[in-house]
Amino acid sequence: MESINGSLRRLGTDYVDLYQAHRYDVSTPLEETMTAFADVVRQGKALYIGVSEWNAEQIREGARLAAELNIQLISNQPQYSMLWRVIEDRVVPASEEAGLSQIVWSPVAQGVLTGKYLPGATAPAGSRATDTKGGQQMIGRLMRDDVLERVQLLRPVAEELGLTMAQLAVAWVLQNRNVATAIIGASRPEQITENVAASGVEIPAELMARIDAALGDIVERDPSLTRAPEPRH
């Protein structure tokens, strides 16, 4: 309650359209979490409820409780990109059953899918890979030559579609019928203009298959990687 009230005060509004739980709260019974969300909705402070990085079982149980409480649980916010597809096997089917869709983050894999990082080359100055305050650590697992070499194989596909590699990456996630939208990050206004142009692009099945072939076994698909963090003590 303190959080929603603080958010509304800072935003200067009476309500938000969507209020999401950031990751599953392993230290609180789910019934308490969903009841608190129901109170927020009934007080008119949010219209809809969502979650973030919940696994399939958590989504199913949350949707069941939401139905009992007569509130609408409509979204899940997971990481999803050509390189990180862990939601496809279990989370997406569970979401479709429950009537949720995905608001995905990191569609360009922290910038790796833009093609700006080249195998064997120094990361561009000012990029996430040079950010010692956290960005470098987050992108580190992708900054391997085997990954970067595979990503460069996507360039001909992007060119064939008349897209930049960033646009191809965003268009690819939007191709999933359970993805409602993609959250894009930008350090310059022109990056927003570039990425938005990916909306509405249809990638033919033949090129989707070429993308899969190009990336091969560097794609992470293990559904167990969608998990809640350990409780903090």
Side-chain angles (χ1 to χ4, degrees):
M1 290 303 168
E2 291 175 1
S3 291
I4 185 65
N5 290 337
S7 292
L8 296 179
R9 183 174 61 253
R10 289 186 295 272
L11 290 167
T13 186
D14 296 326
Y15 72 95
V16 292
D17 294 304
L18 177 63
Y19 195 48
Q20 295 190 143
H22 187 252
R23 297 196 179 267
Y24 189 87
D25 184 353
V26 296
S27 61
T28 302
L30 183 57
E31 290 81 2
E32 290 188 22
T33 298
M34 299 308 295
T35 299
F37 273 137
D39 289 342
V40 168
V41 172
R42 288 166 185 156
Q43 290 172 17
K45 296 177 180 179
L47 300 182
Y48 303 99
I49 296 303
V51 299
S52 178
E53 293 288 1
W54 284 24
N55 66 32
E57 292 72 26
Q58 292 160 352
I59 287 170
R60 287 192 177 98
E61 184 62 11
R64 183 188 68 78
L65 290 168
E68 290 181 1
L69 293 163
N70 200 30
I71 59 174
Q72 296 189 62
L73 181 64
I74 65 167
S75 64
N76 179 46
Q77 184 177 308
Q79 180 179 180
Y80 186 52
S81 71
M82 294 180 189
L83 297 174
W84 188 263
R85 306 187 195 180
V86 302
I87 65 170
E88 291 181 343
D89 187 48
R90 298 178 188 171
V91 168
V92 167
S95 297
E96 289 176 334
E97 292 170 16
L100 280 70
S101 56
Q102 313 301 314
I103 299 174
V104 303
W105 59 274
S106 197
V108 296
Q110 291 92 56
V112 170
L113 288 170
T114 66
K116 66 183 177 183
Y117 299 113
L118 301 175
T122 302
S127 65
R128 183 183 291 266
T130 63
D131 176 17
T132 58
K133 296 181 180 179
Q136 191 177 67
Q137 181 179 6
M138 188 172 185
I139 200 176
R141 62 181 176 79
L142 298 173
M143 294 298 291
R144 309 190 319 260
D145 281 353
D146 61 330
V147 173
L148 301 181
E149 287 166 2
R150 294 280 190 145
V151 168
Q152 290 303 314
L153 297 178
L154 300 176
R155 194 173 296 278
V157 178
E159 291 172 351
E160 188 168 332
L161 289 167
L163 303 174
T164 65
M165 291 183 68
Q167 289 169 339
L168 177 67
V170 175
W172 185 91
V173 300
L174 295 177
Q175 198 92 341
N176 186 315
R177 66 181 184 177
N178 192 239
V179 172
T181 191
I183 298 172
I184 55 174
S187 56
R188 303 186 306 277
E190 55 268 27
Q191 291 175 328
I192 298 175
T193 303
E194 175 187 350
N195 288 338
V196 166
S199 178
V201 171
E202 292 287 337
I203 305 175
E206 175 196 348
L207 294 184
M208 291 290 282
R210 280 176 55 187
I211 290 169
D212 285 344
L215 295 177
D217 60 3
I218 65 166
V219 175
E220 184 56 73
R221 302 177 185 272
D222 182 0
S224 70
L225 293 174
T226 300
R227 60 178 182 265
E230 292 299 314
R232 294 178 180 173
H233 299 287

mmCIF file of all heavy atoms in Angstrom, residues 172-215:
data_model
loop_
_atom_site.group_PDB
_atom_site.id
_atom_site.type_symbol
_atom_site.label_atom_id
_atom_site.label_comp_id
_atom_site.label_asym_id
_atom_site.label_seq_id
_atom_site.Cartn_x
_atom_site.Cartn_y
_atom_site.Cartn_z
ATOM 1 N N TRP A 172 11.406 -9.763 -34.008
ATOM 2 C CA TRP A 172 11.395 -11.201 -33.717
ATOM 3 C C TRP A 172 10.586 -11.497 -32.454
ATOM 4 O O TRP A 172 9.771 -12.423 -32.446
ATOM 5 C CB TRP A 172 12.829 -11.713 -33.575
ATOM 6 C CG TRP A 172 12.908 -13.198 -33.396
ATOM 7 C CD1 TRP A 172 13.028 -14.144 -34.361
ATOM 8 C CD2 TRP A 172 12.826 -13.905 -32.150
ATOM 9 N NE1 TRP A 172 13.041 -15.403 -33.806
ATOM 10 C CE2 TRP A 172 12.916 -15.288 -32.450
ATOM 11 C CE3 TRP A 172 12.703 -13.516 -30.824
ATOM 12 C CZ2 TRP A 172 12.874 -16.266 -31.462
ATOM 13 C CZ3 TRP A 172 12.651 -14.486 -29.834
ATOM 14 C CH2 TRP A 172 12.743 -15.847 -30.159
ATOM 15 N N VAL A 173 10.786 -10.746 -31.374
ATOM 16 C CA VAL A 173 10.034 -11.033 -30.150
ATOM 17 C C VAL A 173 8.548 -10.744 -30.343
ATOM 18 O O VAL A 173 7.689 -11.460 -29.815
ATOM 19 C CB VAL A 173 10.584 -10.281 -28.906
ATOM 20 C CG1 VAL A 173 12.011 -10.657 -28.629
ATOM 21 C CG2 VAL A 173 10.441 -8.789 -29.036
ATOM 22 N N LEU A 174 8.233 -9.711 -31.118
ATOM 23 C CA LEU A 174 6.827 -9.383 -31.349
ATOM 24 C C LEU A 174 6.129 -10.411 -32.229
ATOM 25 O O LEU A 174 4.899 -10.449 -32.294
ATOM 26 C CB LEU A 174 6.717 -7.989 -31.989
ATOM 27 C CG LEU A 174 7.182 -6.816 -31.118
ATOM 28 C CD1 LEU A 174 7.101 -5.513 -31.898
ATOM 29 C CD2 LEU A 174 6.370 -6.720 -29.836
ATOM 30 N N GLN A 175 6.920 -11.239 -32.895
ATOM 31 C CA GLN A 175 6.353 -12.292 -33.734
ATOM 32 C C GLN A 175 5.662 -13.373 -32.895
ATOM 33 O O GLN A 175 4.762 -14.054 -33.382
ATOM 34 C CB GLN A 175 7.466 -12.939 -34.571
ATOM 35 C CG GLN A 175 6.979 -13.724 -35.766
ATOM 36 C CD GLN A 175 6.919 -12.878 -37.027
ATOM 37 O OE1 GLN A 175 6.898 -11.651 -36.965
ATOM 38 N NE2 GLN A 175 6.922 -13.519 -38.164
ATOM 39 N N ASN A 176 6.083 -13.524 -31.642
ATOM 40 C CA ASN A 176 5.451 -14.490 -30.746
ATOM 41 C C ASN A 176 4.045 -13.985 -30.423
ATOM 42 O O ASN A 176 3.875 -12.889 -29.897
ATOM 43 C CB ASN A 176 6.278 -14.636 -29.464
ATOM 44 C CG ASN A 176 5.764 -15.724 -28.549
ATOM 45 O OD1 ASN A 176 4.570 -15.847 -28.303
ATOM 46 N ND2 ASN A 176 6.684 -16.514 -28.013
ATOM 47 N N ARG A 177 3.030 -14.786 -30.708
ATOM 48 C CA ARG A 177 1.644 -14.330 -30.572
ATOM 49 C C ARG A 177 1.263 -14.014 -29.138
ATOM 50 O O ARG A 177 0.263 -13.316 -28.889
ATOM 51 C CB ARG A 177 0.691 -15.383 -31.137
ATOM 52 C CG ARG A 177 0.676 -16.696 -30.352
ATOM 53 C CD ARG A 177 -0.273 -17.697 -30.971
ATOM 54 N NE ARG A 177 -0.353 -18.918 -30.161
ATOM 55 C CZ ARG A 177 -1.154 -19.945 -30.440
ATOM 56 N NH1 ARG A 177 -1.921 -19.887 -31.513
ATOM 57 N NH2 ARG A 177 -1.172 -21.004 -29.663
ATOM 58 N N ASN A 178 2.023 -14.513 -28.151
ATOM 59 C CA ASN A 178 1.715 -14.235 -26.754
ATOM 60 C C ASN A 178 2.444 -13.005 -26.235
ATOM 61 O O ASN A 178 2.283 -12.625 -25.081
ATOM 62 C CB ASN A 178 2.042 -15.452 -25.876
ATOM 63 C CG ASN A 178 1.487 -15.340 -24.469
ATOM 64 O OD1 ASN A 178 2.233 -15.378 -23.492
ATOM 65 N ND2 ASN A 178 0.180 -15.177 -24.340
ATOM 66 N N VAL A 179 3.245 -12.359 -27.080
ATOM 67 C CA VAL A 179 3.950 -11.141 -26.683
ATOM 68 C C VAL A 179 3.119 -9.927 -27.100
ATOM 69 O O VAL A 179 2.850 -9.725 -28.280
ATOM 70 C CB VAL A 179 5.348 -11.071 -27.326
ATOM 71 C CG1 VAL A 179 5.989 -9.708 -27.067
ATOM 72 C CG2 VAL A 179 6.234 -12.181 -26.770
ATOM 73 N N ALA A 180 2.701 -9.142 -26.108
ATOM 74 C CA ALA A 180 1.892 -7.957 -26.381
ATOM 75 C C ALA A 180 2.760 -6.766 -26.758
ATOM 76 O O ALA A 180 2.402 -5.966 -27.624
ATOM 77 C CB ALA A 180 1.040 -7.611 -25.160
ATOM 78 N N THR A 181 3.906 -6.653 -26.103
ATOM 79 C CA THR A 181 4.772 -5.508 -26.361
ATOM 80 C C THR A 181 6.178 -5.799 -25.846
ATOM 81 O O THR A 181 6.388 -6.752 -25.100
ATOM 82 C CB THR A 181 4.214 -4.230 -25.696
ATOM 83 O OG1 THR A 181 4.923 -3.079 -26.160
ATOM 84 C CG2 THR A 181 4.314 -4.303 -24.184
ATOM 85 N N ALA A 182 7.118 -4.982 -26.258
ATOM 86 C CA ALA A 182 8.508 -5.136 -25.839
ATOM 87 C C ALA A 182 8.990 -3.828 -25.219
ATOM 88 O O ALA A 182 8.724 -2.750 -25.752
ATOM 89 C CB ALA A 182 9.389 -5.507 -27.025
ATOM 90 N N ILE A 183 9.681 -3.948 -24.097
ATOM 91 C CA ILE A 183 10.269 -2.783 -23.441
ATOM 92 C C ILE A 183 11.646 -2.546 -24.037
ATOM 93 O O ILE A 183 12.502 -3.427 -24.008
ATOM 94 C CB ILE A 183 10.383 -3.011 -21.924
ATOM 95 C CG1 ILE A 183 8.994 -3.215 -21.313
ATOM 96 C CG2 ILE A 183 11.093 -1.845 -21.256
ATOM 97 C CD1 ILE A 183 9.022 -3.645 -19.864
ATOM 98 N N ILE A 184 11.852 -1.386 -24.593
ATOM 99 C CA ILE A 184 13.144 -1.066 -25.214
ATOM 100 C C ILE A 184 13.874 -0.031 -24.372
ATOM 101 O O ILE A 184 13.265 0.866 -23.799
ATOM 102 C CB ILE A 184 12.972 -0.553 -26.659
ATOM 103 C CG1 ILE A 184 12.027 0.651 -26.705
ATOM 104 C CG2 ILE A 184 12.448 -1.663 -27.562
ATOM 105 C CD1 ILE A 184 11.919 1.308 -28.068
ATOM 106 N N GLY A 185 15.181 -0.183 -24.290
ATOM 107 C CA GLY A 185 16.003 0.799 -23.599
ATOM 108 C C GLY A 185 16.705 1.666 -24.631
ATOM 109 O O GLY A 185 16.968 1.224 -25.752
ATOM 110 N N ALA A 186 16.977 2.896 -24.285
ATOM 111 C CA ALA A 186 17.629 3.791 -25.234
ATOM 112 C C ALA A 186 18.454 4.826 -24.487
ATOM 113 O O ALA A 186 18.058 5.290 -23.422
ATOM 114 C CB ALA A 186 16.602 4.497 -26.111
ATOM 115 N N SER A 187 19.589 5.153 -25.046
ATOM 116 C CA SER A 187 20.405 6.237 -24.490
ATOM 117 C C SER A 187 20.306 7.490 -25.352
ATOM 118 O O SER A 187 20.748 8.552 -24.943
ATOM 119 C CB SER A 187 21.874 5.793 -24.384
ATOM 120 O OG SER A 187 22.356 5.359 -25.649
ATOM 121 N N ARG A 188 19.706 7.349 -26.538
ATOM 122 C CA ARG A 188 19.514 8.497 -27.438
ATOM 123 C C ARG A 188 18.126 8.421 -28.070
ATOM 124 O O ARG A 188 17.623 7.323 -28.353
ATOM 125 C CB ARG A 188 20.573 8.504 -28.552
ATOM 126 C CG ARG A 188 22.011 8.531 -28.055
ATOM 127 C CD ARG A 188 23.003 8.688 -29.223
ATOM 128 N NE ARG A 188 22.796 7.657 -30.245
ATOM 129 C CZ ARG A 188 23.302 6.427 -30.192
ATOM 130 N NH1 ARG A 188 24.011 6.044 -29.143
ATOM 131 N NH2 ARG A 188 23.096 5.562 -31.171
ATOM 132 N N PRO A 189 17.481 9.572 -28.339
ATOM 133 C CA PRO A 189 16.136 9.575 -28.924
ATOM 134 C C PRO A 189 16.047 8.815 -30.242
ATOM 135 O O PRO A 189 15.047 8.144 -30.509
ATOM 136 C CB PRO A 189 15.839 11.068 -29.128
ATOM 137 C CG PRO A 189 16.677 11.761 -28.112
ATOM 138 C CD PRO A 189 17.934 10.939 -28.003
ATOM 139 N N GLU A 190 17.083 8.884 -31.055
ATOM 140 C CA GLU A 190 17.031 8.208 -32.352
ATOM 141 C C GLU A 190 16.947 6.692 -32.211
ATOM 142 O O GLU A 190 16.446 6.006 -33.110
ATOM 143 C CB GLU A 190 18.215 8.600 -33.236
ATOM 144 C CG GLU A 190 19.588 8.399 -32.637
ATOM 145 C CD GLU A 190 20.111 9.637 -31.911
ATOM 146 O OE1 GLU A 190 19.286 10.433 -31.429
ATOM 147 O OE2 GLU A 190 21.349 9.791 -31.832
ATOM 148 N N GLN A 191 17.432 6.156 -31.093
ATOM 149 C CA GLN A 191 17.318 4.715 -30.872
ATOM 150 C C GLN A 191 15.856 4.312 -30.681
ATOM 151 O O GLN A 191 15.433 3.234 -31.121
ATOM 152 C CB GLN A 191 18.147 4.301 -29.655
ATOM 153 C CG GLN A 191 19.650 4.404 -29.877
ATOM 154 C CD GLN A 191 20.434 4.101 -28.617
ATOM 155 O OE1 GLN A 191 19.986 4.381 -27.503
ATOM 156 N NE2 GLN A 191 21.611 3.514 -28.779
ATOM 157 N N ILE A 192 15.083 5.173 -30.036
ATOM 158 C CA ILE A 192 13.655 4.899 -29.866
ATOM 159 C C ILE A 192 12.965 4.898 -31.225
ATOM 160 O O ILE A 192 12.181 3.996 -31.550
ATOM 161 C CB ILE A 192 13.010 5.937 -28.931
ATOM 162 C CG1 ILE A 192 13.653 5.862 -27.542
ATOM 163 C CG2 ILE A 192 11.497 5.718 -28.847
ATOM 164 C CD1 ILE A 192 13.180 6.924 -26.592
ATOM 165 N N THR A 193 13.269 5.900 -32.035
ATOM 166 C CA THR A 193 12.677 5.986 -33.375
ATOM 167 C C THR A 193 13.017 4.740 -34.190
ATOM 168 O O THR A 193 12.159 4.175 -34.885
ATOM 169 C CB THR A 193 13.192 7.244 -34.105
ATOM 170 O OG1 THR A 193 12.882 8.403 -33.317
ATOM 171 C CG2 THR A 193 12.551 7.377 -35.476
ATOM 172 N N GLU A 194 14.267 4.298 -34.092
ATOM 173 C CA GLU A 194 14.698 3.110 -34.838
ATOM 174 C C GLU A 194 13.950 1.867 -34.378
ATOM 175 O O GLU A 194 13.399 1.109 -35.189
ATOM 176 C CB GLU A 194 16.202 2.891 -34.645
ATOM 177 C CG GLU A 194 16.716 1.603 -35.290
ATOM 178 C CD GLU A 194 18.167 1.307 -34.946
ATOM 179 O OE1 GLU A 194 18.837 2.193 -34.370
ATOM 180 O OE2 GLU A 194 18.625 0.199 -35.253
ATOM 181 N N ASN A 195 13.878 1.651 -33.069
ATOM 182 C CA ASN A 195 13.265 0.427 -32.554
ATOM 183 C C ASN A 195 11.765 0.380 -32.780
ATOM 184 O O ASN A 195 11.207 -0.686 -33.060
ATOM 185 C CB ASN A 195 13.573 0.271 -31.066
ATOM 186 C CG ASN A 195 15.027 -0.095 -30.805
ATOM 187 O OD1 ASN A 195 15.707 -0.605 -31.668
ATOM 188 N ND2 ASN A 195 15.501 0.193 -29.610
ATOM 189 N N VAL A 196 11.090 1.518 -32.676
ATOM 190 C CA VAL A 196 9.642 1.555 -32.877
ATOM 191 C C VAL A 196 9.272 1.131 -34.298
ATOM 192 O O VAL A 196 8.198 0.565 -34.528
ATOM 193 C CB VAL A 196 9.101 2.967 -32.548
ATOM 194 C CG1 VAL A 196 7.685 3.139 -33.064
ATOM 195 C CG2 VAL A 196 9.131 3.195 -31.046
ATOM 196 N N ALA A 197 10.171 1.352 -35.238
ATOM 197 C CA ALA A 197 9.898 0.979 -36.631
ATOM 198 C C ALA A 197 9.758 -0.534 -36.805
ATOM 199 O O ALA A 197 9.278 -1.007 -37.835
ATOM 200 C CB ALA A 197 11.003 1.507 -37.540
ATOM 201 N N ALA A 198 10.146 -1.306 -35.793
ATOM 202 C CA ALA A 198 10.011 -2.764 -35.870
ATOM 203 C C ALA A 198 8.576 -3.216 -35.655
ATOM 204 O O ALA A 198 8.218 -4.350 -35.989
ATOM 205 C CB ALA A 198 10.916 -3.426 -34.838
ATOM 206 N N SER A 199 7.738 -2.342 -35.091
ATOM 207 C CA SER A 199 6.356 -2.705 -34.818
ATOM 208 C C SER A 199 5.609 -2.950 -36.130
ATOM 209 O O SER A 199 5.658 -2.140 -37.058
ATOM 210 C CB SER A 199 5.662 -1.588 -34.035
ATOM 211 O OG SER A 199 4.314 -1.903 -33.802
ATOM 212 N N GLY A 200 4.932 -4.077 -36.203
ATOM 213 C CA GLY A 200 4.159 -4.396 -37.407
ATOM 214 C C GLY A 200 4.928 -5.142 -38.476
ATOM 215 O O GLY A 200 4.339 -5.570 -39.472
ATOM 216 N N VAL A 201 6.240 -5.319 -38.281
ATOM 217 C CA VAL A 201 7.039 -6.056 -39.260
ATOM 218 C C VAL A 201 6.728 -7.552 -39.150
ATOM 219 O O VAL A 201 6.717 -8.105 -38.053
ATOM 220 C CB VAL A 201 8.550 -5.826 -39.030
ATOM 221 C CG1 VAL A 201 9.374 -6.772 -39.907
ATOM 222 C CG2 VAL A 201 8.913 -4.377 -39.312
ATOM 223 N N GLU A 202 6.469 -8.193 -40.280
ATOM 224 C CA GLU A 202 6.226 -9.638 -40.305
ATOM 225 C C GLU A 202 7.469 -10.335 -40.868
ATOM 226 O O GLU A 202 7.890 -10.039 -41.979
ATOM 227 C CB GLU A 202 5.010 -9.964 -41.172
ATOM 228 C CG GLU A 202 3.690 -9.477 -40.587
ATOM 229 C CD GLU A 202 3.249 -10.300 -39.397
ATOM 230 O OE1 GLU A 202 3.693 -11.471 -39.275
ATOM 231 O OE2 GLU A 202 2.471 -9.773 -38.563
ATOM 232 N N ILE A 203 8.026 -11.230 -40.093
ATOM 233 C CA ILE A 203 9.193 -11.991 -40.547
ATOM 234 C C ILE A 203 8.691 -13.311 -41.128
ATOM 235 O O ILE A 203 8.062 -14.100 -40.422
ATOM 236 C CB ILE A 203 10.172 -12.260 -39.395
ATOM 237 C CG1 ILE A 203 10.587 -10.944 -38.715
ATOM 238 C CG2 ILE A 203 11.403 -13.016 -39.902
ATOM 239 C CD1 ILE A 203 11.454 -11.139 -37.489
ATOM 240 N N PRO A 204 8.940 -13.576 -42.407
ATOM 241 C CA PRO A 204 8.468 -14.824 -43.015
ATOM 242 C C PRO A 204 9.033 -16.057 -42.316
ATOM 243 O O PRO A 204 10.115 -16.018 -41.724
ATOM 244 C CB PRO A 204 8.985 -14.724 -44.463
ATOM 245 C CG PRO A 204 9.258 -13.283 -44.690
ATOM 246 C CD PRO A 204 9.662 -12.727 -43.361
ATOM 247 N N ALA A 205 8.292 -17.160 -42.383
ATOM 248 C CA ALA A 205 8.696 -18.396 -41.724
ATOM 249 C C ALA A 205 10.078 -18.853 -42.183
ATOM 250 O O ALA A 205 10.869 -19.371 -41.382
ATOM 251 C CB ALA A 205 7.657 -19.483 -41.988
ATOM 252 N N GLU A 206 10.378 -18.645 -43.450
ATOM 253 C CA GLU A 206 11.686 -19.062 -43.984
ATOM 254 C C GLU A 206 12.819 -18.328 -43.273
ATOM 255 O O GLU A 206 13.849 -18.925 -42.936
ATOM 256 C CB GLU A 206 11.749 -18.786 -45.483
ATOM 257 C CG GLU A 206 13.109 -19.064 -46.100
ATOM 258 C CD GLU A 206 13.272 -18.436 -47.485
ATOM 259 O OE1 GLU A 206 12.279 -17.979 -48.066
ATOM 260 O OE2 GLU A 206 14.420 -18.407 -47.965
ATOM 261 N N LEU A 207 12.619 -17.024 -43.030
ATOM 262 C CA LEU A 207 13.667 -16.255 -42.365
ATOM 263 C C LEU A 207 13.709 -16.548 -40.866
ATOM 264 O O LEU A 207 14.785 -16.501 -40.258
ATOM 265 C CB LEU A 207 13.463 -14.765 -42.615
ATOM 266 C CG LEU A 207 13.635 -14.312 -44.078
ATOM 267 C CD1 LEU A 207 13.507 -12.797 -44.190
ATOM 268 C CD2 LEU A 207 14.973 -14.772 -44.639
ATOM 269 N N MET A 208 12.578 -16.868 -40.279
ATOM 270 C CA MET A 208 12.586 -17.292 -38.873
ATOM 271 C C MET A 208 13.422 -18.565 -38.731
ATOM 272 O O MET A 208 14.190 -18.708 -37.765
ATOM 273 C CB MET A 208 11.160 -17.533 -38.389
ATOM 274 C CG MET A 208 10.316 -16.271 -38.266
ATOM 275 S SD MET A 208 10.817 -15.178 -36.908
ATOM 276 C CE MET A 208 10.096 -16.026 -35.492
ATOM 277 N N ALA A 209 13.280 -19.463 -39.694
ATOM 278 C CA ALA A 209 14.069 -20.701 -39.673
ATOM 279 C C ALA A 209 15.551 -20.408 -39.856
ATOM 280 O O ALA A 209 16.414 -21.048 -39.225
ATOM 281 C CB ALA A 209 13.579 -21.648 -40.756
ATOM 282 N N ARG A 210 15.878 -19.432 -40.702
ATOM 283 C CA ARG A 210 17.288 -19.054 -40.907
ATOM 284 C C ARG A 210 17.884 -18.456 -39.643
ATOM 285 O O ARG A 210 19.062 -18.672 -39.340
ATOM 286 C CB ARG A 210 17.408 -18.077 -42.080
ATOM 287 C CG ARG A 210 17.380 -18.760 -43.443
ATOM 288 C CD ARG A 210 17.405 -17.763 -44.578
ATOM 289 N NE ARG A 210 18.536 -16.833 -44.506
ATOM 290 C CZ ARG A 210 18.689 -15.780 -45.332
ATOM 291 N NH1 ARG A 210 17.775 -15.550 -46.266
ATOM 292 N NH2 ARG A 210 19.725 -14.989 -45.221
ATOM 293 N N ILE A 211 17.072 -17.713 -38.911
ATOM 294 C CA ILE A 211 17.536 -17.146 -37.642
ATOM 295 C C ILE A 211 17.874 -18.266 -36.658
ATOM 296 O O ILE A 211 18.925 -18.262 -36.014
ATOM 297 C CB ILE A 211 16.473 -16.199 -37.047
ATOM 298 C CG1 ILE A 211 16.369 -14.932 -37.891
ATOM 299 C CG2 ILE A 211 16.796 -15.855 -35.593
ATOM 300 C CD1 ILE A 211 15.186 -14.051 -37.553
ATOM 301 N N ASP A 212 16.978 -19.253 -36.558
ATOM 302 C CA ASP A 212 17.232 -20.392 -35.670
ATOM 303 C C ASP A 212 18.511 -21.128 -36.067
ATOM 304 O O ASP A 212 19.324 -21.503 -35.213
ATOM 305 C CB ASP A 212 16.054 -21.362 -35.718
ATOM 306 C CG ASP A 212 14.846 -20.843 -34.954
ATOM 307 O OD1 ASP A 212 15.006 -19.903 -34.158
ATOM 308 O OD2 ASP A 212 13.749 -21.384 -35.161
ATOM 309 N N ALA A 213 18.685 -21.315 -37.369
ATOM 310 C CA ALA A 213 19.872 -22.034 -37.853
ATOM 311 C C ALA A 213 21.140 -21.245 -37.574
ATOM 312 O O ALA A 213 22.181 -21.809 -37.221
ATOM 313 C CB ALA A 213 19.729 -22.313 -39.345
ATOM 314 N N ALA A 214 21.065 -19.921 -37.728
ATOM 315 C CA ALA A 214 22.240 -19.072 -37.512
ATOM 316 C C ALA A 214 22.689 -19.096 -36.048
ATOM 317 O O ALA A 214 23.882 -19.167 -35.747
ATOM 318 C CB ALA A 214 21.945 -17.637 -37.948
ATOM 319 N N LEU A 215 21.730 -19.048 -35.137
ATOM 320 C CA LEU A 215 22.070 -18.980 -33.715
ATOM 321 C C LEU A 215 22.398 -20.345 -33.120
ATOM 322 O O LEU A 215 23.188 -20.451 -32.187
ATOM 323 C CB LEU A 215 20.922 -18.319 -32.938
ATOM 324 C CG LEU A 215 20.661 -16.853 -33.300
ATOM 325 C CD1 LEU A 215 19.463 -16.322 -32.534
ATOM 326 C CD2 LEU A 215 21.885 -15.989 -33.044
#
